[in-house]
Amino acid sequence: MSDKTDSNPDAERRRSQAIAMATPALEGWFVREVLPLEAALMHFLRRSWPNKSELDDLRQEVYVRVCEAARKEIPHPAKPFVFAVARNLLVDRVRREHVVSIETVSDLDALGVAVEEPGPDRNAMARQELRRLQTALDQLPPRAREAVLLRKIEGLSYREIALRMGIGEDTVSEHLSKAMYALADTLYGEPLGGKP
Amino acid sequence: MSATESGAPLADARAIGEQAADWLERRERGGFSEQDNAAFEAWLSESTAHLTAYWRVRAAWERANRLSAFGSQSNALRKPVTPQKSPSQFFRRVAAAVVAVAALGAGAALYLSPPAQPADMTYATTVGGKKVIVLTDGSRIELNTDTILRLDGADRRKVWLDKGEAYFDIHHNARHPFVVIANGHRVTDLGTKFFIREDADRLEVALIEGRASLENVGRKSKPQILTPGHFAVATASLTSISAKPVATLANDLSWRNGTLIFRGMTLADAASEFNRYNRKKLLVNDPKVAGLKIDGTFPANNVEAFLDAVQSALKVHVEDRGSEAVISR
């Protein structure tokens, strides 16, 4: 009502909501409960969706919906909720695109994704984590991997990494940025190289 | 909000993911001005997709912190550097060092088959066996079940743990450190006591007191300095080090008294621990019971006592077939 408000109060409201979401609690929940489901989620999407080029976009949209719902109330347990969101998203897309028949997603309930397995023990998790990190590193381009190792393991500064690799600091930036993007995909999106 | 309406086109995850990685990288590099920070906040608050993409790349990047040592073929990584955290209080300490490295399973030395030296001495225990070796310098080595250890004939300060698990109480000599080689790794005592365990494809080292160094022999990576509470798991190419309470690590040494101490261990893991010590094998095939948690102290050689305890405490079914026992619901 006030004539002093910004021209776009809706945008302003969205903005403040998004900031309100950036609470450590919600991020913590997302990292702890949702991201570890990503490999299973990608498997599910891959099996259910014919257009492979859209899988990452779908995954992102699932995260958006999950977090917007979690902002109101964090769902427990996370797993059935995340997969229900994914299923609904696919149904939405099917209706919208008229390209795939509704049967494509009709057997989603048969996936049994809501079943909670007993968690692996701590040692098994440490071993698994090690394997996963190793796999992720192995998949990076050699120069990017080198930059990551110098940064993470030897704790070098950008300047030192640049000297060590004989490149400029901006190139170090490029390598690390690419590595960060790729690590998220392999660490969360891909199943373990070896079966646990 | 923008992309959530069912009719809206999907946002481009790749583009957003790359932007998120760029922001993360700029923050990692440092020198973020107030202006940069404002731009970053603005980008974050633009959409939930930005926010989740950023959380995701940041979480992955933080996960990579768990890499504490990595053997790389890269020449750039061979240059030794000072360990980042040098806990000087331990450096000054001349106290006893207890390092735990453990060797389980039958596979043993995958990466390492050192040429047999003349006059090496081999010590071995059978399943359920234990043995104490006293060296001429006064050092003691206690072998756990199903273990093979070789002592270098020429250099009595060097042993290979080919299989199994051993506790080392070593007479410290700064000029002639005691070296244990297991699973392609070298453990050098920088204190006086340690303990080792090894698997077919990995090695565990836990340090209870003092200092020790752990290095991957093949990879020429820099040695890792372990301090009390450090629990290292090393594979052929990677070492991860985490911190545990020292009391928990001490439980892993309970075999020296012939007991096994379980604290919140799963039934499946407890059964495989018992299987290391006994001919009678315990089988836990039912996933419903494999994850049940156990606390307790048990004689390592008394399978029956363990079975009685789990039967009454966990209400599981035990089918005793003589040479093996099957635990199920």
Side-chain angles (χ1 to χ4, degrees), chain A residues 60-108:
Chain A
Q60 175 173 273
E61 183 61 23
V62 170
Y63 287 168
V64 167
R65 292 185 177 195
V66 163
C67 281
E68 290 187 345
R71 186 175 51 204
K72 295 172 196 101
E73 191 186 346
I74 288 186
H76 290 295
K79 194 172 182 177
F81 181 75
V82 168
F83 281 89
V85 167
R87 181 182 191 282
N88 290 340
L89 172 65
L90 295 190
V91 171
D92 284 353
R93 306 306 297 178
V94 166
R95 287 197 181 124
R96 179 178 173 265
E97 298 191 2
H98 311 292
V99 277
V100 268
S101 68
I102 202 81
E103 280 79 17
T104 314
V105 288
S106 64
D107 63 343
L108 298 189

Side-chain angles (χ1 to χ4, degrees), chain A residues 27 38 57 61 68 93 96 121 127 129-130 132 134 146 151-153 158 164 170 173 177 185 188, chain B residues 1 3-4 7-8 13 22 25 28-29 48 55-56 58 61 63 65 70 76 202 237 240 269:
Chain A
E27 179 178 0
E38 187 168 308
D57 300 344
E61 183 61 23
E68 290 187 345
R93 306 306 297 178
R96 179 178 173 265
D121 70 284
R127 256 173 274 147
E129 178 70 358
L130 215 61
R132 193 172 269 255
Q134 184 164 1
E146 197 174 342
R151 181 73 181 168
K152 284 291 186 190
I153 291 155
Y158 273 55
R164 197 78 89 80
D170 287 344
S173 282
S177 170
D185 274 356
Y188 291 114
Chain B
M1 284 295 227
T4 56
D22 280 343
E25 190 279 324
E28 171 88 8
R29 185 170 179 170
T48 309
W55 287 347
R56 183 170 171 268
R58 181 161 76 180
W61 186 240
R63 257 172 93 176
N65 284 342
F70 186 83
R202 80 199 175 110
S237 56
S240 125
D269 283 347

Side-chain angles (χ1 to χ4, degrees), chain A residues 23-71:
Chain A
T23 56
L26 189 58
E27 179 178 0
W29 173 79
F30 178 74
V31 168
R32 222 172 31 248
E33 303 285 332
V34 180
L35 283 180
L37 302 171
E38 187 168 308
L41 177 64
M42 292 309 284
H43 178 70
F44 168 74
L45 294 173
R46 218 172 284 126
R47 271 181 35 175
S48 318
W49 198 250
N51 186 352
K52 303 306 171 207
S53 69
E54 287 183 335
L55 295 179
D56 286 347
D57 300 344
L58 289 166
R59 186 252 303 144
Q60 175 173 273
E61 183 61 23
V62 170
Y63 287 168
V64 167
R65 292 185 177 195
V66 163
C67 281
E68 290 187 345
R71 186 175 51 204

Side-chain angles (χ1 to χ4, degrees), chain A residues 146-165 172 176, chain B residues 28-29 61 76-77 79-82 84 222:
Chain A
E146 197 174 342
V148 170
L149 294 173
L150 290 169
R151 181 73 181 168
K152 284 291 186 190
I153 291 155
E154 309 212 2
L156 300 186
S157 68
Y158 273 55
R159 191 190 182 80
E160 291 166 321
I161 297 171
L163 281 173
R164 197 78 89 80
M165 292 180 66
V172 174
L176 287 181
Chain B
E28 171 88 8
R29 185 170 179 170
W61 186 240
L77 291 171
K79 226 171 175 179
V81 293
T82 329
Q84 270 183 290
K222 65 171 177 137

Side-chain angles (χ1 to χ4, degrees), chain B residues 50-74:
Chain B
H50 290 183
L51 201 57
T52 56
Y54 184 72
W55 287 347
R56 183 170 171 268
V57 290
R58 181 161 76 180
W61 186 240
E62 279 171 10
R63 257 172 93 176
N65 284 342
R66 297 191 49 166
L67 299 165
S68 54
F70 186 83
S72 166
Q73 295 86 339
S74 158

